[in-house]
Amino acid sequence: MDLAVVLPVLLVIALAIFFDFTNGFHDTANAMATSVATGALKPRVAVLISAVLNLVGAFLSTAVAKTVSEGILAQDDRGLPQITVPMIFAGLMGSVVWNLLTWWLGLPSSSTHALFGGLIGAAVIGAGFQAVEWGGVLSKIVLPALLSPFIAGTVALAATYLVYRITRMATVAGSTTAFRHGQTISASLVSLAHGTNDAQKTMGVITLTLIVAGAQEAGTGPQLWVILSAGGAIALGTYLGGWRIMRTVGKRITDVKPPQGFAAETSAASTILISSTLGFPLSTTQVTSGAVIGSGLGKRLASVHWNVVTRIAFAWVVTLPAAAIVGGGAAWAASTGLAGLMIVLILGLAACAGLFVLARRRPVSANNVNDESVSADALGRRQPEGERA
């Protein structure tokens, strides 16, 4: 095959796997932030459990992967998307850069919406508005994005209220210890759910690329090597730990106690697993953050730090359009040919490397993830002087 055909496909596969890796450490907080914050699990044990269950979850279903490969981008009479491999590469680059930017800032933004935003922006710039299945975007991305945090938050609020009522404000002997043990199970369920949903999105992108390139028949699901690659990448990223975002979710949205953590994790896991079964590519970040907010409201209104919630909500709103702009700009450059594709690759890698270097200046690790002694974190909340996250 021609190098001009093979190289873009290989670049997309490599970048998709790297995106899944960033998705893993970006979204570790979804599963384990509250368990680490309450002391139910040690940080390193938490990410190990989460990594293993993310990998297991990747094999449980492919419904979300088929939604990504078939339900977002418009198809022609042959069942093929109206998008090229370089456009997919450009969309992926937009999502990766946005993922790393929000990770550096410690914002629990949606990797899901970063991915779809990048792909939509690349499709619109590269092939026109008709290349996007806007009905699918509305029903499978926008509506779930609006509803899922409120659903998970409402369930967590009710669950937290009931938990405190049943245990008389958690003063029943041994209740705190029991809830810490319960968090091990509930956090594990969130990790399993995360694998069934988020790992599949990259499977869908790689499958979409192979279909567009003519290496796989339209309408077929991900191959075994694709499932293994995506599951392994997200598991490895999870194990390395998204400590910056874990600190935000576990310590800065609300002052999480074991009963709240158990309620939040159980609510998030049930919401994600149901959506994965239905094939909805849900944002686990939004679901988990919504559940944590709900658990804070279920205890008492004053325990939620609304200034932090406001900044997180802002990140949710701008993620899809911001990634679309980056993906669209990258698609414009990549469409000029192989030289343009390489320019996008070089600029994207430079941006990623720069963000990693900036993050190393003020590191957050397993040793200080629960440390609140920061001067003025990336979310703008004032704290006592000390190490800054």
Side-chain angles (χ1 to χ4, degrees), residues 135 255 265 352:
D255 301 315
E265 289 164 353
C352 294

Side-chain angles (χ1 to χ4, degrees), residues 57-73:
F59 287 88
L60 295 184
S61 171
T62 57
V64 172
K66 294 199 71 174
T67 297
V68 174
S69 61
E70 299 176 7
I72 306 300
L73 301 176

Side-chain angles (χ1 to χ4, degrees), residues 305-318:
H305 306 142
W306 291 109
N307 59 330
V308 177
V309 172
T310 300
R311 290 173 174 85
I312 292 173
F314 176 76
W316 289 354
V317 172
V318 302

